[in-house]
Amino acid sequence: MMYWYGSGMSGWGYGLMTVSMILFWGAVIFGIVLLVRYLGRSGQSPAAPPPQSAESPPSPERLLAERFARGEIGEEEYRQRLAVLRGADQPANGRARPPAGTSTR
């Protein structure tokens, strides 16, 4: 007969069994939640466009808009620079026209 540890499970045995069952069922529930979230996302297309990568620099118009939003340049300067970027103020002879609303007299 082997009676080294007593005839049954002691308080520590019950405590370890309780903790291990809680950890086991917690891991099972966590795995199911992760699986449901993964499968739920795989069929959907992303709602927002992906962010620009660090390799591609932002466009000049975007940089200009960011400067305007931060208050570094005023509205008039923003509109002038935006028109230059878009090529609206470039006539055929290559000279830039004055901004709209100004006189050259």
Side-chain angles (χ1 to χ4, degrees):
M1 289 195 197
M2 298 181 172
Y3 291 106
W4 293 306
Y5 295 111
S7 60
M9 196 180 330
S10 66
W12 286 106
Y14 287 117
L16 277 171
M17 182 175 65
T18 302
V19 169
S20 65
M21 282 303 276
I22 290 172
L23 290 175
F24 171 76
W25 285 111
V28 168
I29 291 170
F30 182 72
I32 291 172
V33 168
L34 284 180
L35 182 65
V36 167
R37 290 183 78 189
Y38 174 75
L39 292 176
R41 275 195 211 153
S42 64
Q44 297 176 357
S45 62
Q52 289 185 340
S53 65
E55 297 171 5
S56 64
S59 69
E61 289 181 6
R62 182 179 177 104
L63 288 174
L64 185 63
E66 288 174 3
R67 287 186 64 198
F68 177 63
R70 286 191 300 260
E72 294 177 9
I73 58 175
E75 182 179 354
E76 184 178 331
E77 185 178 357
Y78 169 75
R79 291 186 187 278
Q80 289 173 355
R81 291 181 181 223
L82 187 62
V84 169
L85 284 175
R86 291 184 176 164
D89 286 353
Q90 299 297 324
N93 64 4
R95 290 193 205 173
R97 284 188 251 150
T102 60
S103 175
T104 57
R105 294 182 206 176

